[in-house]
Amino acid sequence: MQIHSPITDLRLALKNRGRVVLVPTMGNLHAGHIALMTAARAHGDTVVASIFVNRLQFGPSDDFDLYPRTLNEDCDKLTAAGVDLLFAPSESDLYPEAQQYHVEPPQSQNQLDGEFRPGHFRGVATVVLKLFNIVQPQAALFGKKDYQQLMVLRNMTRQLALPIDIIGGETVRADDGLALSSRNAYLSAAERAEAPRLQRLLQRIGTAIRAGETDFARLEREAANELDQHGWKTDYVAVRRQADLQLPGDDRKQALVVLAASRLGAARLIDNLEIDARDGR
Ligand code: PAF
């Protein structure tokens, strides 16, 4: 695997590489990232991974300094996964001057994580557009665990007419259901044992909705209460339309997704569950 940091080096290395597929990451790679790398192979000739912990998407009280940086181990994993090129810019490669032009996601995304992490999606969209401009991929993969992020990036790509296919990868889970995340490393042993409750509650909501439950507010409230009774601090549990993450209307057949974000100790965990279109009962 080739490793490049300066933008000019990467651009040279990407000449005549056929269809390029990009998998942007912040490193500290786990099996979820590696599944994206493996899936990327089916979408092009050259698989490029990027590793960059993007300061712009962290708020002042977020974990930018704490965020685990494990470049050597990550390189071994990417090599084993057959990735062709790694773009691992330094802060001064990517932001040689203060970034003054930004991508501002629409008001409609100032909800869910957009509400609890103000400026987060602006930072994500800005760095991803910049990575797209640098790598000029024909396709890019993002995990569905960051469901709202995937939606923001899909919409940005469509609205700015970028010639890039955005592909979502399924969430990879531990045997007990916990979604893999770099932030799981912040959990103590007791918190790690508690953490699968989040996905269990989402499954319970999914089961209730599939069985015909329509009082989503009650399901959300009960799940948030249960989390908080077990030591979590919940930002939201929310049933939304898959299509645009807005509140579900009366159309019983639309596909829904239930999303949650809650803090357990030092970790803010997010997860979601897609609920198939209901049968109209
Ligand atoms: O999902 C992530 O790891 C980051 O938000 C991304 C897409 C790499 C942008 O920094």
Side-chain angles (χ1 to χ4, degrees), residues 24-26 52 54 57 124 127-128 142 146 149:
T25 79
M26 297 202 302
F52 181 68
N54 172 39
Q57 69 190 72
V124 169
V127 80
V128 169
F142 299 90
D146 297 294
Q149 166 174 284

mmCIF file with all atom_site columns, all heavy atoms in Angstrom, residues 24-26 52 54 57 124 127-128 142 146 149, ligand 1:
data_model
loop_
_atom_site.group_PDB
_atom_site.id
_atom_site.type_symbol
_atom_site.label_atom_id
_atom_site.label_alt_id
_atom_site.label_comp_id
_atom_site.label_asym_id
_atom_site.label_entity_id
_atom_site.label_seq_id
_atom_site.pdbx_PDB_ins_code
_atom_site.Cartn_x
_atom_site.Cartn_y
_atom_site.Cartn_z
_atom_site.occupancy
_atom_site.B_iso_or_equiv
_atom_site.pdbx_formal_charge
_atom_site.auth_seq_id
_atom_site.auth_comp_id
_atom_site.auth_asym_id
_atom_site.auth_atom_id
_atom_site.pdbx_PDB_model_num
ATOM   1   N N   . PRO A 1 24  ? -13.307 7.572  3.319  1.00 0.00 ? 24  PRO A N   1
ATOM   2   C CA  . PRO A 1 24  ? -12.756 8.534  4.295  1.00 0.00 ? 24  PRO A CA  1
ATOM   3   C C   . PRO A 1 24  ? -12.941 8.024  5.726  1.00 0.00 ? 24  PRO A C   1
ATOM   4   O O   . PRO A 1 24  ? -14.008 7.512  6.067  1.00 0.00 ? 24  PRO A O   1
ATOM   5   C CB  . PRO A 1 24  ? -13.608 9.794  4.085  1.00 0.00 ? 24  PRO A CB  1
ATOM   6   C CG  . PRO A 1 24  ? -14.349 9.588  2.807  1.00 0.00 ? 24  PRO A CG  1
ATOM   7   C CD  . PRO A 1 24  ? -14.522 8.106  2.687  1.00 0.00 ? 24  PRO A CD  1
ATOM   8   N N   . THR A 1 25  ? -11.912 8.156  6.551  1.00 0.00 ? 25  THR A N   1
ATOM   9   C CA  . THR A 1 25  ? -12.018 7.743  7.960  1.00 0.00 ? 25  THR A CA  1
ATOM   10  C C   . THR A 1 25  ? -11.231 8.738  8.822  1.00 0.00 ? 25  THR A C   1
ATOM   11  O O   . THR A 1 25  ? -10.467 9.556  8.310  1.00 0.00 ? 25  THR A O   1
ATOM   12  C CB  . THR A 1 25  ? -11.422 6.337  8.225  1.00 0.00 ? 25  THR A CB  1
ATOM   13  O OG1 . THR A 1 25  ? -9.997  6.448  8.312  1.00 0.00 ? 25  THR A OG1 1
ATOM   14  C CG2 . THR A 1 25  ? -11.795 5.342  7.143  1.00 0.00 ? 25  THR A CG2 1
ATOM   15  N N   . MET A 1 26  ? -11.418 8.581  10.136 1.00 0.00 ? 26  MET A N   1
ATOM   16  C CA  . MET A 1 26  ? -10.568 9.318  11.069 1.00 0.00 ? 26  MET A CA  1
ATOM   17  C C   . MET A 1 26  ? -9.590  8.356  11.751 1.00 0.00 ? 26  MET A C   1
ATOM   18  O O   . MET A 1 26  ? -9.021  8.676  12.790 1.00 0.00 ? 26  MET A O   1
ATOM   19  C CB  . MET A 1 26  ? -11.423 10.047 12.109 1.00 0.00 ? 26  MET A CB  1
ATOM   20  C CG  . MET A 1 26  ? -12.331 11.092 11.443 1.00 0.00 ? 26  MET A CG  1
ATOM   21  S SD  . MET A 1 26  ? -12.902 12.395 12.554 1.00 0.00 ? 26  MET A SD  1
ATOM   22  C CE  . MET A 1 26  ? -13.729 11.443 13.795 1.00 0.00 ? 26  MET A CE  1
ATOM   23  N N   . PHE A 1 52  ? -7.795  11.098 8.671  1.00 0.00 ? 52  PHE A N   1
ATOM   24  C CA  . PHE A 1 52  ? -7.560  12.468 9.101  1.00 0.00 ? 52  PHE A CA  1
ATOM   25  C C   . PHE A 1 52  ? -8.540  12.781 10.220 1.00 0.00 ? 52  PHE A C   1
ATOM   26  O O   . PHE A 1 52  ? -9.759  12.682 10.023 1.00 0.00 ? 52  PHE A O   1
ATOM   27  C CB  . PHE A 1 52  ? -7.762  13.455 7.937  1.00 0.00 ? 52  PHE A CB  1
ATOM   28  C CG  . PHE A 1 52  ? -7.498  14.883 8.317  1.00 0.00 ? 52  PHE A CG  1
ATOM   29  C CD1 . PHE A 1 52  ? -6.214  15.305 8.637  1.00 0.00 ? 52  PHE A CD1 1
ATOM   30  C CD2 . PHE A 1 52  ? -8.539  15.806 8.375  1.00 0.00 ? 52  PHE A CD2 1
ATOM   31  C CE1 . PHE A 1 52  ? -5.958  16.635 9.015  1.00 0.00 ? 52  PHE A CE1 1
ATOM   32  C CE2 . PHE A 1 52  ? -8.301  17.133 8.740  1.00 0.00 ? 52  PHE A CE2 1
ATOM   33  C CZ  . PHE A 1 52  ? -7.002  17.539 9.066  1.00 0.00 ? 52  PHE A CZ  1
ATOM   34  N N   . ASN A 1 54  ? -10.425 15.249 11.897 1.00 0.00 ? 54  ASN A N   1
ATOM   35  C CA  . ASN A 1 54  ? -10.807 16.558 11.363 1.00 0.00 ? 54  ASN A CA  1
ATOM   36  C C   . ASN A 1 54  ? -11.282 17.502 12.467 1.00 0.00 ? 54  ASN A C   1
ATOM   37  O O   . ASN A 1 54  ? -12.435 17.447 12.900 1.00 0.00 ? 54  ASN A O   1
ATOM   38  C CB  . ASN A 1 54  ? -11.924 16.334 10.335 1.00 0.00 ? 54  ASN A CB  1
ATOM   39  C CG  . ASN A 1 54  ? -12.532 17.618 9.848  1.00 0.00 ? 54  ASN A CG  1
ATOM   40  O OD1 . ASN A 1 54  ? -11.829 18.606 9.639  1.00 0.00 ? 54  ASN A OD1 1
ATOM   41  N ND2 . ASN A 1 54  ? -13.845 17.621 9.670  1.00 0.00 ? 54  ASN A ND2 1
ATOM   42  N N   . GLN A 1 57  ? -14.863 19.282 12.770 1.00 0.00 ? 57  GLN A N   1
ATOM   43  C CA  . GLN A 1 57  ? -16.144 18.663 13.104 1.00 0.00 ? 57  GLN A CA  1
ATOM   44  C C   . GLN A 1 57  ? -16.301 18.389 14.599 1.00 0.00 ? 57  GLN A C   1
ATOM   45  O O   . GLN A 1 57  ? -17.277 17.789 15.018 1.00 0.00 ? 57  GLN A O   1
ATOM   46  C CB  . GLN A 1 57  ? -16.358 17.385 12.284 1.00 0.00 ? 57  GLN A CB  1
ATOM   47  C CG  . GLN A 1 57  ? -15.449 16.223 12.631 1.00 0.00 ? 57  GLN A CG  1
ATOM   48  C CD  . GLN A 1 57  ? -15.562 15.095 11.613 1.00 0.00 ? 57  GLN A CD  1
ATOM   49  O OE1 . GLN A 1 57  ? -15.094 15.201 10.482 1.00 0.00 ? 57  GLN A OE1 1
ATOM   50  N NE2 . GLN A 1 57  ? -16.205 14.005 12.002 1.00 0.00 ? 57  GLN A NE2 1
ATOM   51  N N   . VAL A 1 124 ? -17.985 18.211 8.947  1.00 0.00 ? 124 VAL A N   1
ATOM   52  C CA  . VAL A 1 124 ? -17.904 16.959 8.182  1.00 0.00 ? 124 VAL A CA  1
ATOM   53  C C   . VAL A 1 124 ? -18.038 17.254 6.688  1.00 0.00 ? 124 VAL A C   1
ATOM   54  O O   . VAL A 1 124 ? -17.234 16.794 5.867  1.00 0.00 ? 124 VAL A O   1
ATOM   55  C CB  . VAL A 1 124 ? -19.023 15.968 8.625  1.00 0.00 ? 124 VAL A CB  1
ATOM   56  C CG1 . VAL A 1 124 ? -19.110 14.792 7.666  1.00 0.00 ? 124 VAL A CG1 1
ATOM   57  C CG2 . VAL A 1 124 ? -18.784 15.479 10.051 1.00 0.00 ? 124 VAL A CG2 1
ATOM   58  N N   . VAL A 1 127 ? -14.898 19.006 5.210  1.00 0.00 ? 127 VAL A N   1
ATOM   59  C CA  . VAL A 1 127 ? -13.705 18.175 4.991  1.00 0.00 ? 127 VAL A CA  1
ATOM   60  C C   . VAL A 1 127 ? -13.966 17.123 3.909  1.00 0.00 ? 127 VAL A C   1
ATOM   61  O O   . VAL A 1 127 ? -13.082 16.815 3.110  1.00 0.00 ? 127 VAL A O   1
ATOM   62  C CB  . VAL A 1 127 ? -13.200 17.525 6.301  1.00 0.00 ? 127 VAL A CB  1
ATOM   63  C CG1 . VAL A 1 127 ? -13.999 16.297 6.698  1.00 0.00 ? 127 VAL A CG1 1
ATOM   64  C CG2 . VAL A 1 127 ? -11.727 17.161 6.174  1.00 0.00 ? 127 VAL A CG2 1
ATOM   65  N N   . VAL A 1 128 ? -15.191 16.607 3.856  1.00 0.00 ? 128 VAL A N   1
ATOM   66  C CA  . VAL A 1 128 ? -15.459 15.569 2.850  1.00 0.00 ? 128 VAL A CA  1
ATOM   67  C C   . VAL A 1 128 ? -15.450 16.181 1.451  1.00 0.00 ? 128 VAL A C   1
ATOM   68  O O   . VAL A 1 128 ? -14.891 15.603 0.512  1.00 0.00 ? 128 VAL A O   1
ATOM   69  C CB  . VAL A 1 128 ? -16.777 14.813 3.162  1.00 0.00 ? 128 VAL A CB  1
ATOM   70  C CG1 . VAL A 1 128 ? -17.186 13.929 1.988  1.00 0.00 ? 128 VAL A CG1 1
ATOM   71  C CG2 . VAL A 1 128 ? -16.591 13.959 4.425  1.00 0.00 ? 128 VAL A CG2 1
ATOM   72  N N   . PHE A 1 142 ? -19.437 5.281  3.069  1.00 0.00 ? 142 PHE A N   1
ATOM   73  C CA  . PHE A 1 142 ? -19.574 5.755  4.458  1.00 0.00 ? 142 PHE A CA  1
ATOM   74  C C   . PHE A 1 142 ? -20.451 4.753  5.202  1.00 0.00 ? 142 PHE A C   1
ATOM   75  O O   . PHE A 1 142 ? -21.401 4.205  4.618  1.00 0.00 ? 142 PHE A O   1
ATOM   76  C CB  . PHE A 1 142 ? -20.243 7.137  4.496  1.00 0.00 ? 142 PHE A CB  1
ATOM   77  C CG  . PHE A 1 142 ? -19.464 8.198  3.767  1.00 0.00 ? 142 PHE A CG  1
ATOM   78  C CD1 . PHE A 1 142 ? -19.690 8.427  2.417  1.00 0.00 ? 142 PHE A CD1 1
ATOM   79  C CD2 . PHE A 1 142 ? -18.485 8.942  4.419  1.00 0.00 ? 142 PHE A CD2 1
ATOM   80  C CE1 . PHE A 1 142 ? -18.962 9.387  1.719  1.00 0.00 ? 142 PHE A CE1 1
ATOM   81  C CE2 . PHE A 1 142 ? -17.756 9.908  3.739  1.00 0.00 ? 142 PHE A CE2 1
ATOM   82  C CZ  . PHE A 1 142 ? -17.988 10.128 2.385  1.00 0.00 ? 142 PHE A CZ  1
ATOM   83  N N   . ASP A 1 146 ? -23.340 6.121  11.174 1.00 0.00 ? 146 ASP A N   1
ATOM   84  C CA  . ASP A 1 146 ? -23.491 7.585  11.184 1.00 0.00 ? 146 ASP A CA  1
ATOM   85  C C   . ASP A 1 146 ? -24.559 7.938  10.144 1.00 0.00 ? 146 ASP A C   1
ATOM   86  O O   . ASP A 1 146 ? -24.267 8.468  9.078  1.00 0.00 ? 146 ASP A O   1
ATOM   87  C CB  . ASP A 1 146 ? -22.150 8.250  10.869 1.00 0.00 ? 146 ASP A CB  1
ATOM   88  C CG  . ASP A 1 146 ? -21.124 7.938  11.939 1.00 0.00 ? 146 ASP A CG  1
ATOM   89  O OD1 . ASP A 1 146 ? -21.301 8.369  13.071 1.00 0.00 ? 146 ASP A OD1 1
ATOM   90  O OD2 . ASP A 1 146 ? -20.149 7.225  11.635 1.00 0.00 ? 146 ASP A OD2 1
ATOM   91  N N   . GLN A 1 149 ? -25.075 11.559 9.068  1.00 0.00 ? 149 GLN A N   1
ATOM   92  C CA  . GLN A 1 149 ? -23.906 11.981 8.282  1.00 0.00 ? 149 GLN A CA  1
ATOM   93  C C   . GLN A 1 149 ? -24.024 11.484 6.842  1.00 0.00 ? 149 GLN A C   1
ATOM   94  O O   . GLN A 1 149 ? -23.772 12.228 5.880  1.00 0.00 ? 149 GLN A O   1
ATOM   95  C CB  . GLN A 1 149 ? -22.636 11.417 8.925  1.00 0.00 ? 149 GLN A CB  1
ATOM   96  C CG  . GLN A 1 149 ? -21.395 11.501 8.039  1.00 0.00 ? 149 GLN A CG  1
ATOM   97  C CD  . GLN A 1 149 ? -20.137 11.072 8.762  1.00 0.00 ? 149 GLN A CD  1
ATOM   98  O OE1 . GLN A 1 149 ? -19.625 11.825 9.569  1.00 0.00 ? 149 GLN A OE1 1
ATOM   99  N NE2 . GLN A 1 149 ? -19.625 9.893  8.471  1.00 0.00 ? 149 GLN A NE2 1
HETATM 100 O O1  . PAF B 2 .   ? -17.198 9.250  9.800  1.00 0.00 ? 1   PAF B O1  1
HETATM 101 C C1  . PAF B 2 .   ? -16.055 9.745  9.961  1.00 0.00 ? 1   PAF B C1  1
HETATM 102 O O2  . PAF B 2 .   ? -15.111 9.060  10.372 1.00 0.00 ? 1   PAF B O2  1
HETATM 103 C C2  . PAF B 2 .   ? -15.828 11.217 9.665  1.00 0.00 ? 1   PAF B C2  1
HETATM 104 O O3  . PAF B 2 .   ? -16.927 11.974 10.023 1.00 0.00 ? 1   PAF B O3  1
HETATM 105 C C3  . PAF B 2 .   ? -15.428 11.480 8.199  1.00 0.00 ? 1   PAF B C3  1
HETATM 106 C C4  . PAF B 2 .   ? -16.539 11.113 7.237  1.00 0.00 ? 1   PAF B C4  1
HETATM 107 C C5  . PAF B 2 .   ? -14.174 10.703 7.862  1.00 0.00 ? 1   PAF B C5  1
HETATM 108 C C6  . PAF B 2 .   ? -15.135 12.982 8.013  1.00 0.00 ? 1   PAF B C6  1
HETATM 109 O O4  . PAF B 2 .   ? -14.112 13.411 8.834  1.00 0.00 ? 1   PAF B O4  1
#
